[in-house]
Amino acid sequence: MKIIISPAKKMNVDRDSLAVKGMPCFLAEAKILMREIRKLSLEEAKALWKCNDRLAELNFRRFAEMDPERCLTPALLSYEGLQYQHMAPGVFTESALDYVEEHLRILSGFYGVLCPFDGVVPYRLEMQARLSVDGKKDLYAFWGDKLYRRLMEGNRDGIILNLASKEYSCAVEPFVESGCRFITVCFEEDVDGKLRQKGTLAKMARGEMVRFLSENGVEDADGVKAFDGMGYRYREELSDGVKFVFVKGI
């Protein structure tokens, strides 16, 4: 089973807490993207990133000075945001760290697919960014089926547990073939009699689920159903083979 999650826009540099164990598998592709972004003016980069002046200047400087093979942070510690705060990898046990090393993968517009201890540098490039590269109209076309193929390498039971946002899962799901069970986890709550997913709570719950899976060494889809963090409970009657629905407060 491979678990996929989204990255976060805000990134840390932490070269002390955990060791880098490898380099991103698509480093060559990341370098292509780096060179393409370096061709942009500050205003063009700001439009691509859809951010304010301060963030545009920060990330423009990052790409100008970037060396993707030096001063690296393990990917698991490099991203901030609610999902990562609730995952709390900084306090994982050794067994939990071993678990995520085997099972967890972070999707990235810049790096493609990351293992938790791959060394990364700070960047800004969302998967939905409209960057044309190598004759491809956007990053979805640039990455094609590479991310799916990588996730299936060594994936003995063929399960991909999707805890990523739609922006990132769309880089994988269209390529799913027979032999792969792609399960999307939904975190919902009752709002005036209707079930809705709230983005902030969903991000928090995804992080909580990764921590639950790693602390309990969950190896199969049935084990995922036992998650009960933040008041969510698995709802069999709302779920099926490709969607696991967890509802809060019912």
Side-chain angles (χ1 to χ4, degrees):
M1 179 170 71
K2 291 292 185 283
I3 305 159
I4 57 173
I5 61 174
S6 305
K9 293 178 184 176
K10 190 174 181 181
M11 298 187 70
N12 290 315
V13 174
D14 181 349
R15 300 196 290 272
D16 299 320
S17 299
L18 293 172
V20 168
K21 294 187 177 181
M23 297 298 290
C25 60
F26 294 120
L27 185 60
E29 287 83 350
K31 289 180 179 179
I32 291 171
L33 295 173
M34 178 186 70
R35 290 192 289 270
E36 200 66 31
I37 291 171
R38 283 177 172 173
K39 296 176 185 177
L40 303 177
S41 68
L42 176 58
E43 286 303 311
E44 290 170 332
K46 179 183 173 183
L48 177 73
W49 296 324
K50 297 181 180 179
C51 62
N52 59 35
D53 289 343
R54 182 182 63 82
L55 288 173
E57 290 167 3
L58 169 65
N59 286 286
F60 192 77
R61 184 170 66 253
R62 280 174 169 172
F63 273 100
E65 300 172 352
M66 182 180 290
D67 182 341
E69 298 184 64
R70 295 185 59 202
C71 301
L72 306 176
T73 297
L76 190 63
L77 298 184
S78 67
Y79 297 105
E80 288 191 26
L82 287 172
Q83 177 179 222
Y84 291 86
Q85 291 169 21
H86 281 257
M87 191 192 313
V91 295
F92 274 8
T93 62
E94 284 298 321
S95 62
L97 292 171
D98 290 342
Y99 178 91
V100 293
E101 183 175 11
E102 180 179 354
H103 295 283
L104 185 67
R105 298 295 180 264
I106 303 167
L107 304 183
S108 164
F110 185 58
Y111 285 108
V113 175
L114 289 165
C115 296
F117 304 107
D118 285 348
V120 302
V121 295
Y123 68 92
R124 187 183 180 98
L125 189 63
E126 297 174 66
M127 188 66 78
Q128 62 188 0
R130 295 183 177 179
L131 181 67
S132 299
V133 188
D134 281 357
K136 308 296 184 181
K137 66 176 182 177
D138 56 23
L139 292 175
Y140 293 108
F142 174 78
W143 288 114
D145 68 352
K146 288 182 179 179
L147 311 190
Y148 170 72
R149 299 293 173 200
R150 183 66 179 182
L151 291 168
M152 291 302 288
E153 289 180 12
N155 192 343
R156 294 183 298 276
D157 58 11
I159 294 174
I160 297 176
L161 187 70
N162 175 27
L163 291 174
S165 65
K166 192 170 183 64
E167 173 187 353
Y168 287 90
S169 63
C170 280
V172 175
E173 190 171 10
F175 303 102
V176 169
E177 299 174 340
S178 60
C180 171
R181 186 181 176 193
F182 190 88
I183 304 170
T184 296
V185 178
C186 302
F187 296 101
E188 302 182 346
E189 61 181 316
D190 187 285
V191 179
D192 298 327
K194 293 184 178 180
L195 293 180
R196 302 184 186 278
Q197 179 165 287
K198 295 185 177 180
T200 298
L201 286 174
K203 289 177 183 178
M204 295 163 64
R206 288 166 183 155
E208 294 274 351
M209 178 170 274
V210 172
R211 183 154 53 85
F212 167 83
L213 298 174
S214 62
E215 288 177 346
N216 291 278
V218 174
E219 296 285 346
D220 55 38
D222 283 341
V224 177
K225 300 174 184 179
F227 173 76
D228 60 359
M230 295 175 54
Y232 285 97
R233 297 291 186 277
Y234 176 73
R235 292 285 295 272
E236 184 77 39
E237 74 278 12
L238 300 174
S239 305
D240 55 33
V242 296
K243 183 172 72 172
F244 285 3
V245 178
F246 291 79
V247 179
K248 184 178 179 68
I250 297 181

